[in-house]
Amino acid sequence: MNYSFVSISKTPQYISLFRCLFGICFLGSLLVACDSDDSEDVSGTEIPLVTGPNSDACKLSESEIHATATGLEYIVTPDACFDSLSGYEFEPSYVEIDGLNMHYVDVGPDNGEVILLLHGQPSWSYLYRKMIPILADAGYRVIAPDHIGMGRSDKPIDVTVHQYEQHVAWNKAFINKLQLTDINLFVQDWGSLIGLRIAGDMPHVIARLVVANGDLPLIPVGQNPYIYPTFEIDESLGDAATFFASKEPDGVEGFQQWIDYAAGVPELIAGDVLQVVTRVELSSDEVAAYNAPYPAFEYKAAIRAFPAMSAGIEMENFSAWKTLGAFHNPFMFNAGAYDIKLGSLEVQKKWVEHVPGSDGNDHKRFIAGHFIQDDVGEELAIHFLDFLRNTTVEEPLQAGGPLFNFRYCEILLSYLDGAEESTEIWGTPGVNFCPQNLWDAINFSDIEIEYGVLFAIPNGPRFFVVDEILGGDIVSPSPDDEHRFFGDLEMRLLTTMNYSSDLGESVSYIPGQVLRNNTWLFYEGRRVYELTDMNGQVYIMQSFSRIEVSDLQFDDLKDLGSRLNLPEGWTFRSRILSEPLEISAIDGIAEVVQDDLGNSYQLVP
C-alpha cells in the first residue's frame, strides 16, 4: 500500500466538522450553513426574494412553485442564473427522478469508460470544473450530477425532504436511469457518504473507486449524538467566516453547531463557505458561480438540510461497509492534508487497510484543504488518470448479504466428559464486533483455570464468507442465551461440538461435528472457496480467519491454495457461482473442518 506524503508548513485556516466514532469516521459536510428559511408556509404563488450576489445576474421577479405527481412542491433556478459562469461551459443534461429533474454534466465520447463525480455540500457540479476537461480530453465519458436540491437540479421546498436514505435512493435511480455500468466512481464530502454507500450496495456496477476527503458513517443504534434542528431562523447568526472562527473545536459539539447554523442562519452564501474552507483564493466570479443555484433562500432547502441528515444515520451503512471490505477492484484514497478530519491520515489508513483493492496504489496526500477539487483540481485529475491507466479491473463484486464479511471472534472451551471431548463455542456474533484491543487483552491461561477446562482456544478474529443464514440467526441473540465476559469482552454461548476421544484437540483437516440446524446461503455471482479431500468430499469455506495471518483479506482467499499445507490427496480451488448455493446441516449436525490457517469449511451434503 503506497502513500505519497507532502510536508505541511502552514496551520489550517479552518476547523473541519467531523468526528471519528467507533473506528469509522462519522462524516458530515464540512461546509457551513445555508441561507435561511424559518419553515414558513410557502405554498402560495409568491416567494419573497432575497437581494444577494446573484440578483443582478438572474433578474428574478417572481418564482413559480411546481409539484410532482405525489404533491412534492419544488422550484427551479432560472437558467439565466447560470449564464457565463467562470470556467463552466458545459451543456446541461437532465433525467427525471421521482418527478424531479436531476441535472448532470455529460462530456467526452459516448463510448468512453464512465467516470462519475459526486459532489458534497454546499457545492455542486461546478466543483469539478477543473477536472472534467482533463478527464474528457483523455477519452473518458465524464458525468457530474447535481444532487436533487443543488446546482441546476430541481429544488424541493420542504427541508425535511432531504434525508440521507432519500438521497442515496435518488442517486441509485440516477445510475439506473442512465444505465451506467463499469463506473469509475470519484467521491468527496457528502458525495462520499452517498457514493460509498452506493458502491457497497451496488458493487457490480463499480469498476474503480476513488475517495478524496471522505468517509462512511456507522453509529451504533441509539448512540447518534446529533439532534435534528428546528429550522427556525436565528437573527443572531453571522456570516460563514465568523461562524468558522468561533465554532467549538470539539468534533461532536462543533458539528452540532454547524447543523444548527445551517438550519437557522438568516443569510447563507454558499460561495462564502467555499472561500473560507478552500486554501486557494477564489475569484469573485468563482464565488458568484457557487452562489448561482441559490438566488433566494427558498432555493437553499438542500444545503440547509444536508448537515442535519447526519442526525438520522445509525447502522444503515453496515452492509455497504462490509461489502467494501471485500472490494477487490482498484481503490484509491486521496487526501487534502489540511482537511484534518476527512483528509486525516487516520481516515486514509482506515480505508486503505479496509479495502483489498487499495494494494499497490498511490494514495496521495495533497497540499490542499477539504475542497481538494478547487485547491489542486488539475493535479488531482492527472493523478486520477494515472490510476485509471495503471490499474486493471477484475470480475465484478456482488453486494454482500447480512453475514458477508461479518467480523466476529470465538473461544472454544474443551471439556472431557468420559470418553468424549465436548467443546462449547462462545462467540461475539449478536453481541459486538470483537474489538481488537479487547480480544488482544484476553489471557487464555487464566480462562482455562477459571472454568476448569482442558483447553481455552482462541478462534478469531473471523469473517463470514457466506451471505445469509436460513433457518436460524447466528448474529441475533435470544433472551435465553447464556452470556459471559472473557476479560472485558462479552460473548454468548453459540453451540457445542464433539470429537472422538482418540482425536484429542481439534486438528487441521480432521472433520468435527457441530450442532447446527441452519442452512448457509451463498448468492449467485459469489466467489466461493473449496477443499476437496482424498475421497472427493467437498467442503466450502464458511468463514476465514486471521489467527495465523493477521492481515488476511477477502481478496487473498482466491490464491489461498499456495499458502496451505494440504494433506496428500487434498486440493483447494475457488470458483464463481452461476446460481445460488445452499449448504445445510444433516439432522442437526454439520461436519466441519479447518485448514492449517484456521479457516473453516462445511461439508457439502
Side-chain angles (χ1 to χ4, degrees):
M1 301 177 187
N2 299 326
Y3 294 88
S4 294
F5 294 97
V6 296
S7 61
I8 301 174
S9 59
K10 298 180 181 180
T11 56
Q13 301 299 310
Y14 60 89
I15 301 173
S16 60
L17 306 176
F18 315 102
R19 180 187 182 188
C20 285
L21 297 178
F22 311 102
I24 298 175
C25 224
F26 184 6
L27 187 160
S29 99
L30 188 195
L31 309 163
V32 293
C34 330
D35 204 295
S36 76
D37 161 13
D38 61 356
S39 300
E40 62 187 290
D41 183 4
V42 291
S43 59
T45 58
E46 295 186 2
I47 295 179
L49 299 178
V50 177
T51 301
N54 295 19
S55 57
D56 291 339
C58 296
K59 306 286 185 189
L60 296 175
S61 57
E62 182 177 294
S63 297
E64 179 182 356
I65 296 178
H66 308 272
T68 66
T70 60
L72 176 63
E73 294 184 330
Y74 66 95
I75 52 181
V76 180
T77 303
D79 288 340
C81 295
F82 302 98
D83 288 344
S84 302
L85 298 184
S86 175
Y88 188 90
E89 298 177 353
F90 311 114
E91 290 297 319
S93 298
Y94 295 91
V95 62
E96 184 179 310
I97 307 290
D98 286 349
L100 299 167
N101 280 327
M102 188 167 177
H103 167 261
Y104 61 102
V105 171
D106 190 349
V107 297
D110 291 340
N111 62 350
E113 289 184 52
V114 172
I115 292 176
L116 180 61
L117 309 171
L118 296 186
H119 69 86
Q121 177 269 356
S123 60
W124 54 291
S125 55
Y126 184 78
L127 179 69
Y128 287 103
R129 68 197 179 280
K130 298 178 182 179
M131 297 179 64
I132 291 172
I134 295 173
L135 300 173
D137 288 346
Y140 292 88
R141 180 188 176 191
V142 185
I143 299 173
D146 293 331
H147 295 304
I148 296 291
M150 298 185 188
R152 300 190 76 150
S153 293
D154 289 348
K155 298 174 176 62
I157 296 169
D158 183 359
V159 290
T160 65
V161 167
H162 297 286
Q163 303 293 333
Y164 177 60
E165 291 297 318
Q166 179 63 78
H167 278 278
V168 169
W170 278 333
N171 278 270
K172 286 180 178 178
F174 175 83
I175 290 171
N176 290 332
K177 279 286 186 78
L178 269 61
Q179 299 181 338
L180 303 180
T181 59
D182 302 316
I183 300 167
N184 297 296
L185 180 62
F186 186 104
V187 300
Q188 180 260 351
D189 186 68
W190 273 98
S192 71
L193 269 82
I194 295 168
L196 286 170
R197 168 65 176 277
I198 291 171
D201 287 353
M202 304 169 62
H204 58 285
V205 302
I206 306 298
R208 297 175 181 86
L209 179 58
V210 176
V211 182
N213 294 339
D215 207 348
L216 187 67
L218 291 178
I219 302 175
V221 175
Q223 297 186 35
N224 189 309
Y226 299 109
I227 300 172
Y228 196 75
T230 62
F231 291 97
E232 295 179 357
I233 299 307
D234 183 349
E235 297 290 346
S236 69
L237 295 175
D239 60 20
T242 301
F243 170 77
F244 276 109
S246 61
K247 184 187 68 65
E248 284 293 325
D250 174 73
V252 170
E253 184 175 353
F255 190 70
Q256 184 65 56
Q257 289 176 333
W258 165 228
I259 291 173
D260 295 335
Y261 178 83
V265 64
E267 182 74 24
L268 168 74
I269 300 175
D272 286 357
V273 176
L274 272 291
Q275 187 71 280
V276 172
V277 177
T278 304
R279 292 190 78 245
V280 299
E281 182 73 19
L282 299 177
S283 69
S284 59
D285 286 343
E286 288 174 318
V287 171
Y290 276 117
N291 292 327
Y294 317 112
F297 103 159
E298 287 76 15
Y299 292 83
K300 300 180 181 181
I303 59 173
R304 295 181 62 219
F306 255 58
M309 297 195 310
S310 301
I313 299 175
E314 290 183 330
M315 295 298 288
E316 295 89 340
N317 296 322
F318 186 49
S319 289
W321 164 258
K322 291 190 289 109
T323 296
L324 292 174
F327 187 81
H328 49 254
N329 278 325
F331 172 85
M332 182 169 64
F333 191 114
N334 296 313
Y338 283 90
D339 185 345
I340 61 175
K341 290 299 182 182
L342 291 186
S344 71
L345 184 58
E346 178 185 8
V347 174
Q348 187 179 39
K349 280 186 173 181
K350 180 188 75 175
W351 279 99
V352 169
E353 292 172 359
H354 182 63
V355 182
S358 65
D359 288 355
N361 297 323
D362 187 4
H363 309 280
K364 193 169 183 178
R365 300 186 62 76
F366 291 86
I367 301 178
H370 179 66
F371 289 103
I372 190 171
Q373 301 95 323
D374 261 313
D375 286 338
V376 291
E378 294 89 349
E379 184 181 354
L380 186 61
I382 293 170
H383 186 58
F384 187 21
L385 283 178
D386 288 341
F387 169 74
L388 294 173
R389 291 165 174 167
N390 294 310
T391 55
T392 301
V393 177
E394 300 181 18
E395 77 261 8
L397 175 67
Q398 298 301 311
L403 286 187
F404 184 73
N405 207 18
F406 185 100
R407 176 189 168 106
Y408 67 101
C409 295
E410 294 177 339
I411 294 177
L412 283 60
L413 300 183
S414 296
Y415 299 86
L416 187 61
D417 183 10
E420 293 285 327
E421 180 186 326
S422 64
T423 301
E424 295 177 348
I425 302 178
W426 295 80
T428 59
V431 182
N432 55 63
F433 303 132
C434 187
Q436 190 66 42
N437 62 323
L438 300 184
W439 179 250
D440 291 340
I442 295 176
N443 186 315
F444 288 91
S445 296
D446 290 347
I447 291 174
E448 290 176 359
I449 296 172
E450 180 178 358
Y451 292 103
V453 297
L454 297 173
F455 306 102
I457 304 171
N459 189 29
R462 308 190 68 84
F463 299 80
F464 279 118
V465 177
V466 303
D467 285 293
E468 293 186 32
I469 183 170
L470 307 177
D473 191 351
I474 199 169
V475 299
S476 294
S478 163
D480 298 327
D481 287 341
E482 184 178 351
H483 287 241
R484 284 181 185 171
F485 279 90
F486 297 91
D488 292 326
L489 183 62
E490 184 178 5
M491 292 185 165
R492 65 187 180 96
L493 182 60
L494 300 177
T495 186
T496 60
M497 60 189 299
N498 295 293
Y499 291 97
S500 300
S501 59
D502 60 343
L503 293 180
E505 187 178 351
S506 175
V507 179
S508 299
Y509 304 105
I510 300 296
Q513 293 183 337
V514 175
L515 301 178
R516 180 183 292 157
N517 286 308
N518 65 280
T519 295
W520 299 121
L521 172 63
F522 298 82
Y523 292 167
E524 178 182 348
R526 176 71 63 233
R527 181 176 287 277
V528 295
Y529 313 95
E530 299 176 341
L531 286 177
T532 302
D533 67 14
M534 73 288 290
N535 298 315
Q537 295 186 112
V538 176
Y539 297 80
I540 290 191
M541 186 184 293
Q542 63 190 33
S543 66
F544 75 89
S545 167
R546 288 184 177 162
I547 296 172
E548 300 295 335
V549 182
S550 62
D551 61 349
L552 190 68
Q553 296 201 64
F554 239 108
D555 205 42
D556 299 325
L557 300 179
K558 60 187 175 184
D559 299 318
L560 190 65
S562 62
R563 292 182 164 187
L564 298 177
N565 294 312
L566 294 169
E568 185 176 353
W570 286 63
T571 59
F572 174 90
R573 73 162 182 165
S574 71
R575 63 187 176 95
I576 295 177
L577 296 175
S578 60
E579 59 184 9
L581 174 65
E582 295 184 5
I583 301 178
S584 302
I586 299 176
D587 297 327
I589 297 177
E591 189 165 307
V592 299
V593 70
Q594 286 196 355
D595 62 29
D596 50 289
L597 296 182
N599 307 306
S600 294
Y601 307 73
Q602 181 168 318
L603 179 66
V604 179

